[in-house]
């Protein structure tokens, strides 16, 4: 009896159980088919509908992980599951599409041009921020000096000291004659702002739009969120990173201990491409000429994802992780990967590359933390080392692969690579050095996550969370 809980958790047990149940059902129907013919016909019809629904699901494009979850839902609830899938997979027009007119390129820049319409661009200076306080301070200063336009796009905009400082800076920008546009997400900012806050922004002269506003009607759009973080000023400087416009990101409030976040400001011609990414979200699509790279500028690669059509980041990560020879260092609030990215990460660790990932010690979402631990447990067998940031919540979004670093709004998870509208940039060694120092400092404040012995209930809950993670 002691082994029964462990036996129930074994996959082979359920396979044998299901085969036995199907054999018993077939024998039962064969013996009693004359009296149960109508019921048998009904079951056959339901199975046929499930098979047709599964076949349609198989032929559609999409991540295998998502398809597997839907296969199980359709099999478990033949009619209702198929109906839910139909409602959840209604196609909608592509939006947020940027096309930068460019000459022929090669390498990763060529892939970015084909998948998300961006190209390699130049910057004269890149300033990396190790916390939200410094990020906001620099952003407010640059906004106050705006003469032409200020474009702001965030997942979360919330009332508080940070927003008040931004409103003061935006007022100065408007006085200078600058145009102000603000785009915020309908879920991320829901209940964070009141009508008077929108009214205040509009009264100072800002145009405000809400991406996929929260409405009391079931819609597949609700699963696609604008998770981008962009501040673009006058085409001369652009900001991106992990922070949102709310007090916790500057540690003014501390709901989860110390809030560790990062960001970057880039000065130069690349700022115009971030403006293009914003305008593509604002208008639905946008075209622009490729900015000319000045002779004194360094190069970086800006990029974005606009699901369901434009997906670049995951494949770029697979390439970068698989190509790494010395290190893959990651700071992320969530650790939940697709099979192909997980395979690349695990094999890279098996090759002897130093693979370290820092996640929070104090999570903002307990279910997401359990998912992260589930993935960390499996990755640990390949030599991937996962650490918890002891002071509080790790919200930074950085992926270092040798001398390159990905910075932006992407989490190291399935949602960011498949469902969210995101943006970022790939930088070379000059920025990577600063990020690596920050990673080392954060690692010194972290403890390695160990698997430990899990109870059957914990194992089952993690299994279910990991299975359904592609949908949540």
């Amino acid at each position: 009896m002691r082994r029964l809980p462990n036996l129930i958790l074994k996959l082979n047990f359920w396979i044998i159980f299901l085969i036995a149940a199907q054999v018993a059902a077939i024998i039962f129907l064969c013996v009693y088919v004359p009296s149960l013919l109508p019921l048998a016909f009904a079951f056959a019809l339901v199975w046929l509908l499930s098979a047709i629904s599964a076949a349609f699901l198989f032929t559609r494009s999409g991540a295998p992980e998502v398809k597997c979850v839907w296969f199980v839902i359709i099999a478990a609830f033949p009619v209702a599951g198929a109906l839910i899938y139909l409602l959840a997979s209604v196609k909608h027009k592509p939006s947020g599409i940027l096309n930068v007119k460019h000459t022929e390129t090669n390498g990763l820049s060529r892939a970015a041009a084909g998948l998300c319409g961006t190209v390699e661009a130049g910057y004269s200076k890149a300033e990396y921020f190790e916390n939200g306080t410094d990020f906001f301070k620099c952003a407010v200063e640059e906004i106050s000096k705006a003469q032409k336009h200020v474009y702001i796009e965030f997942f979360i905009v919330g009332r508080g000291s940070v927003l008040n400082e931004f409103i003061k800076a935006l007022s100065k920008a408007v006085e200078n004659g600058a145009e102000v546009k603000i785009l915020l997400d309908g879920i991320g900012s829901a209940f964070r702002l009141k009508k008077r806050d929108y009214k205040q922004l509009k009264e100072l002269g800002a145009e405000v739009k809400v991406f996929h506003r929260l409405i009391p009607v079931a819609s597949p759009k609700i699963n696609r969120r604008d998770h981008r973080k962009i501040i673009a000023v006058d085409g001369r400087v652009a900001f991106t990173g992990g922070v949102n416009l709310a007090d916790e990101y500057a540690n003014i409030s501390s709901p989860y201990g110390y809030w560790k976040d990062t960001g970057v400001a880039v000065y130069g011609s690349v700022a115009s491409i971030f403006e293009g990414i914003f305008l593509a979200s604002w208008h639905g699509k946008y075209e622009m000429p490729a900015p000319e790279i000045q002779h004194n500028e360094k190069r970086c690669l800006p990029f974005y994802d606009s699901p369901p059509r434009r997906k670049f980041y995951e494949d770029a990560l697979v390439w970068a992780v698989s190509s790494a020879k010395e290190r893959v260092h990651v700071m992320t609030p969530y650790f939940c990967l697709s099979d192909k990215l997980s395979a690349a990460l695990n094999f890279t660790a098996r090759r002897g590359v130093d693979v370290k990932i820092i996640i929070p010690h104090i999570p903002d979402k307990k279910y997401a933390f359990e998912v992260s631990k589930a993935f960390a447990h499996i990755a640990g067998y390949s030599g991937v080392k996962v650490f918890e940031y002891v002071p509080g919540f790790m919200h930074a979004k950085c992926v270092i692969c040798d001398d390159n670093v990905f910075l932006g709004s992407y989490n190291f998870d399935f949602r960011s690579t498949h469902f969210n509208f995101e943006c970022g940039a790939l930088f070379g060694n000059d920025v990577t050095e600063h990020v690596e120092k920050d990673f080392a400092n954060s690692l010194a404040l972290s403890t390695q996550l160990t698997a430990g012995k899990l109870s059957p209930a914990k194992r089952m809950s993690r299994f279910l969370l990991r299975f359904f993670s592609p949908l949540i």
Side-chain angles (χ1 to χ4, degrees):
M1 293 298 293
R2 293 181 179 179
R3 296 183 178 181
L4 183 59
N6 289 329
L7 179 64
I8 293 176
L9 292 173
K10 297 291 186 180
L11 180 61
N12 288 341
F13 169 82
W14 288 105
I15 293 175
I16 294 172
F17 175 80
L18 291 173
I19 292 173
Q22 291 180 49
V23 171
I26 292 172
I27 294 174
F28 180 82
L29 289 175
C30 289
V31 173
Y32 295 98
V33 72
S35 58
L36 297 176
L37 188 59
L39 182 62
F41 179 77
F43 271 110
L45 182 61
V46 169
W47 287 338
L48 180 62
L49 290 174
S50 297
I52 294 173
S53 300
F56 276 114
L57 173 60
F58 177 79
T59 58
R60 297 193 69 167
S61 61
E65 296 88 348
V66 176
K67 289 185 178 182
C68 285
V69 177
W70 280 116
F71 279 138
V72 172
I73 293 174
I74 291 172
F77 310 100
V79 177
L83 180 61
I84 294 171
Y85 170 71
L86 178 64
L87 294 175
S89 60
V90 173
K91 292 184 178 181
H92 51 273
K93 293 181 180 180
S95 63
I97 303 300
L98 172 67
N99 284 311
V100 179
K101 299 176 182 177
H102 60 279
T103 56
E104 190 65 28
T105 59
N106 290 310
L108 197 61
S109 181
R110 182 173 182 174
L115 289 171
C116 60
T118 63
V119 292
E120 199 172 48
Y123 65 94
S124 57
K125 183 178 74 169
E127 187 172 356
Y128 174 73
F129 304 101
E130 298 182 5
N131 56 70
T133 303
D134 293 341
F135 178 94
F136 291 134
K137 182 179 178 181
C138 184
V140 166
E141 290 178 357
E142 295 297 344
I143 290 172
S144 299
K145 296 185 291 186
Q147 301 290 326
K148 300 177 182 177
H149 46 252
V150 179
Y151 300 145
I152 296 176
E153 182 175 0
F154 278 94
F155 179 62
I156 294 175
V157 178
R159 294 184 303 275
S161 300
V162 169
L163 181 59
N164 291 339
E165 290 299 314
F166 267 77
I167 289 175
K168 292 178 183 177
L170 290 172
S171 298
K172 292 181 181 178
V174 171
E175 290 176 3
N176 297 337
E179 173 190 55
V180 177
K181 295 182 185 295
I182 301 173
L183 180 62
L184 51 90
D185 185 75
I187 292 292
S189 299
F191 314 114
R192 301 293 295 258
L193 295 176
K194 295 184 178 180
K195 288 184 178 179
R196 66 172 180 265
D197 299 308
Y198 290 101
K199 184 178 179 181
Q200 183 180 12
L201 290 170
K202 292 177 181 178
E203 285 178 348
L204 69 83
E207 294 182 75
V208 182
K209 283 188 178 182
V210 178
F211 181 88
H212 290 176
R213 188 183 297 273
L214 181 62
I215 56 176
V217 178
S219 170
K221 289 184 178 181
I222 205 71
N223 199 38
R224 302 195 186 277
R225 309 313 321 165
D226 186 350
H227 195 250
R228 292 172 183 165
K229 286 86 175 169
I230 295 175
I231 302 172
V233 181
D234 287 353
R236 59 181 177 81
V237 58
F239 296 78
T240 191
V243 298
N244 285 293
L245 293 188
D247 285 358
E248 61 264 35
Y249 297 88
N251 281 288
I252 296 173
S253 61
S254 301
Y256 310 106
Y258 180 81
W259 192 291
K260 168 60 180 174
D261 226 318
T262 58
V264 63
V266 283
Y267 297 79
S269 57
V270 69
S272 64
I273 291 187
F274 277 98
E275 285 190 354
I277 295 173
F278 171 88
L279 291 171
S281 294
W282 186 269
H283 297 295
K285 60 181 180 179
Y286 187 73
E287 289 189 1
M288 60 176 288
E292 184 178 348
I293 300 177
Q294 305 300 318
H295 71 278
N296 61 336
E297 287 187 322
K298 299 175 183 178
R299 294 171 180 253
C300 69
L301 179 61
F303 54 85
Y304 70 95
D305 280 334
S306 289
R309 297 295 176 85
R310 296 292 177 92
K311 294 180 181 179
F312 169 79
Y313 183 63
E314 183 181 44
D315 289 337
L317 271 185
V318 170
W319 166 80
V321 168
S322 300
S323 303
K325 297 179 180 179
E326 297 179 2
R327 64 189 179 190
V328 175
H329 292 167
V330 181
M331 291 190 286
T332 179
Y334 313 115
F335 180 34
C336 171
L337 308 180
S338 66
D339 283 348
K340 68 177 181 180
L341 182 52
S342 181
L345 193 72
N346 292 337
F347 191 69
T348 297
R350 290 185 183 279
R351 290 192 288 111
V353 176
D354 181 34
V355 181
K356 292 187 176 74
I357 299 170
I358 304 178
I359 63 174
H361 177 66
I362 303 176
D364 65 334
K365 302 177 183 69
K366 290 185 178 181
Y367 75 87
F369 192 45
E370 288 300 317
V371 171
S372 295
K373 286 184 175 181
F375 276 85
H377 178 77
I378 296 172
Y381 293 116
S382 301
V384 176
K385 298 177 182 178
V386 180
F387 298 81
E388 292 184 23
Y389 182 70
V390 175
F393 185 54
M394 169 61 70
H395 194 256
K397 308 170 193 307
C398 312
V399 181
I400 300 169
C401 297
D402 289 345
D403 294 331
N404 296 311
V405 61
F406 294 88
L407 294 174
S409 64
Y410 294 84
N411 294 316
F412 205 59
D413 69 356
F414 196 92
R415 169 158 288 280
S416 277
T417 55
H418 287 79
F419 296 125
N420 287 344
F421 286 65
E422 307 275 10
C423 69
L426 177 63
F427 294 92
N429 192 47
D430 59 317
V431 177
T432 305
E433 288 181 1
H434 295 287
V435 183
E436 178 61 28
K437 289 179 182 178
D438 187 25
F439 178 87
N441 292 334
S442 298
L443 189 65
L445 299 173
S446 305
T447 57
Q448 188 167 354
L449 182 66
T450 55
K453 189 174 181 179
L454 301 178
S455 66
K458 178 68 73 173
R459 289 171 59 190
M460 177 59 76
S461 64
R462 285 192 179 178
F463 167 78
L464 292 174
L465 284 171
R466 188 171 183 272
F467 179 78
F468 286 104
S469 61
L471 297 184
I472 58 178

